[in-house]
C-alpha cells in the first residue's frame, strides 16, 4: 500500500524556521499534485500550499512570502520550508499527494499522518 510519512515538526520560537518533509512509499505509478494542509485546535483543516506536477505553486495568503513548497521527484518527497514563523502558524500539518498506484487506473488522494508545529516564545 502507499503510505506518506511526515517528519520535521517541532517547537520553534516566533521568527524561527522549520522544514517539513513528506515521503511517499509503495508501488507508485505517477504523482499528480502535492500539497500541505494544516489544522489548528478548534479550527477546520485549511490549505497551505499546493504544487502541481508541472511546477505550478499556490499559497494561502497567510503564508505567502514565508513558506515554500518543493519536491524531489526521485524520492517521491515533498517539502515545506517555513520561515518567519508566527504563533498563528501553530497547527498539525498534513501532506497530501494525488497519485496513481501501479496496476491501478485511478488517481487518489493520500494523506500523511500529520506532524505538530508549535510556534511559541
Amino acid at each position: 500500500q502507499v503510505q506518506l510519512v511526515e517528519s520535521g515538526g517541532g517547537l520553534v520560537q516566533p521568527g524561527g524556521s522549520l522544514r517539513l518533509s513528506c515521503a511517499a512509499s509503495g508501488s507508485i505509478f505517477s504523482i499528480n499534485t502535492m500539497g500541505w494542509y494544516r489544522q489548528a485546535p478548534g479550527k477546520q483543516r485549511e490549505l497551505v500550499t499546493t504544487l502541481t506536477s508541472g511546477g505550478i505553486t499556490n499559497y494561502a495568503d497567510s503564508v505567502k512570502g514565508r513558506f515554500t513548497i518543493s519536491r524531489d521527484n526521485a524520492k517521491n518527497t515533498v517539502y515545506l520550508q517555513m520561515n518567519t514563523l508566527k504563533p498563528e502558524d501553530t497547527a498539525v500539518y498534513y501532506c497530501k499527494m494525488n497519485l496513481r498506484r501501479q496496476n491501478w487506473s485511478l488517481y487518489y488522494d493520500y494523506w500523511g499522518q500529520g506532524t505538530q508545529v508549535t510556534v511559541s516564545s
Side-chain angles (χ1 to χ4, degrees):
Q1 295 183 356
V2 172
Q3 289 187 318
L4 273 57
V5 179
E6 300 181 32
S7 62
L11 175 65
V12 65
Q13 292 184 336
S17 298
L18 284 174
R19 189 184 190 224
L20 306 183
S21 298
C22 176
S25 62
S27 300
I28 299 171
F29 178 78
S30 64
I31 299 175
N32 184 17
T33 59
M34 303 176 175
W36 290 92
Y37 298 74
R38 67 187 182 186
Q39 187 168 17
K43 300 179 66 176
Q44 292 185 325
R45 183 166 55 189
E46 65 175 351
L47 174 68
V48 176
T49 178
T50 59
L51 173 64
T52 72
S53 60
I56 300 174
T57 59
N58 182 276
Y59 295 93
D61 289 340
S62 59
V63 306
K64 195 171 299 182
R66 300 187 297 118
F67 290 11
T68 304
I69 187 172
S70 61
R71 66 175 182 246
D72 185 333
N73 290 331
K75 297 180 178 180
N76 290 329
T77 299
V78 62
Y79 305 95
L80 182 65
Q81 179 66 47
M82 304 184 293
N83 298 325
T84 319
L85 283 162
K86 304 175 181 179
E88 51 263 43
D89 295 319
T90 296
V92 177
Y93 284 71
Y94 299 90
C95 65
K96 187 189 79 173
M97 296 187 189
N98 183 259
L99 59 84
R100 179 182 171 184
R101 295 175 60 188
Q102 293 280 5
N103 301 316
W104 190 249
S105 61
L106 300 178
Y107 282 85
Y108 192 81
D109 289 339
Y110 292 84
W111 292 86
Q113 82 282 5
T115 184
Q116 177 70 48
V117 172
T118 302
V119 184
S120 177
S121 60

